[in-house]
């Protein structure tokens, strides 16, 4: 998978090259290009934003700079690049979920356009939508300073689902959300620690019993913490 990130803070997303994703890049499973949006400015101040039409606080990112950046990074004739999705992180987007990560993990090329300030001039998305798939997505009902942290979260959630990125290939099959429920508690040695014991069923060696217990724990935790995730018939 190819990942391209356009940002005014390239250093901010640099940690993506570390740890497991760095290994995936070394192995050639994932490639990562980080572009500085200011490389497409033409003025001496390298300015990327301007005052909003209609007034109000904050600044809006200029369409000309983003237009040129996307033309170059995505190509003007992206019909040849069937795998490309332009991702625009914004608190006004549709929710990014595990299902989004699963769908994106099968894509060839994701381009992340990180906006700052009050967002990007809407015509950038409207224009790009004529040539490519564009998804405006939010990682939650809160407002970050910009799209960089949201991009890092989405890149991590997506790439860990690609074969070969995680050390243990089956370890994401039992993730929270993959069966629609939160994952229950996990334990490792020692069997007793600070007066707290590992639940006995986990020591029983009875795989069916362990699976039933885990499902029960997942249901209980989901009911407590995220009742909105339970199927409607669950009481
Ligand atoms: N940019 C600012 N806040 C955001 C959010 N919650 N999700 C995605 N991008 C954002």
């Amino acid at each position: 998978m190819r990942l391209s990130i356009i940002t005014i803070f390239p250093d901010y997303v640099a940690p993506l090259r570390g740890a497991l994703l760095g290994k995936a890049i070394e192995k050639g499973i994932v490639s990562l290009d980080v572009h500085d949006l200011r490389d497409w400015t033409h003025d001496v101040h390298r300015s990327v934003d301007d005052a909003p039409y209609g007034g109000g606080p904050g600044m809006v990112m200029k369409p000309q700079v983003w237009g040129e950046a996307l033309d170059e990074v995505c190509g003007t004739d992206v019909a040849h690049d069937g795998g490309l999705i332009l991702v625009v992180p914004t608190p006004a987007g549709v929710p990014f979920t595990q299902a989004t990560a699963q769908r994106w993990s099968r894509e060839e090329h994701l381009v992340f356009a990180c906006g700052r300030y009050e967002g990007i001039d809407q015509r950038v998305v409207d224009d790009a939508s004529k040539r490519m798939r564009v998804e405006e997505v939010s990682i939650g009902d809160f407002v970050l300073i910009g799209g960089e942290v949201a991009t890092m979260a989405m890149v991590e959630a997506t790439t860990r689902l690609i074969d070969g990125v995680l050390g243990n290939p089956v370890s994401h099959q039992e993730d929270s959300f993959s069966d629609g429920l939160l994952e229950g508690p996990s334990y490792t040695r020692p069997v007793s620690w600070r007066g707290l014991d590992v639940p006995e069923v986990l020591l029983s060696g009875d795989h069916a019993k362990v699976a039933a217990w885990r499902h029960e724990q997942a249901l209980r935790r989901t009911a407590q913490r995220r009742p909105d995730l339970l199927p409607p018939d669950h009481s």
Side-chain angles (χ1 to χ4, degrees), residues 88-91 115 137-147 150 154:
V88 184
T90 162
V137 288
S138 166
I139 63 160
D141 291 340
F142 45 80
V143 181
L144 301 166
I145 300 172
M154 294 189 284

Side-chain angles (χ1 to χ4, degrees), residues 209-227:
K209 251 173 135 178
V210 169
W213 181 85
R214 285 196 170 137
H215 184 66
E216 152 73 26
Q217 293 293 314
L219 275 174
R220 181 181 302 187
R221 183 172 273 185
T222 307
Q224 277 171 352
R225 300 181 181 177
R226 293 292 306 277

Side-chain angles (χ1 to χ4, degrees), residues 75-89:
T76 39
D77 186 8
V78 285
H80 294 296
D81 196 345
L84 185 144
I85 294 180
L86 175 64
V87 180
V88 184

Side-chain angles (χ1 to χ4, degrees), residues 181-203:
L181 299 175
L182 301 186
E183 206 176 343
S186 308
Y187 301 87
T188 186
R189 284 180 287 192
V191 80
S192 186
W193 180 77
R194 296 192 178 180
L196 300 168
D197 293 340
V198 173
E200 260 194 60
V201 58
L202 298 179
L203 314 175

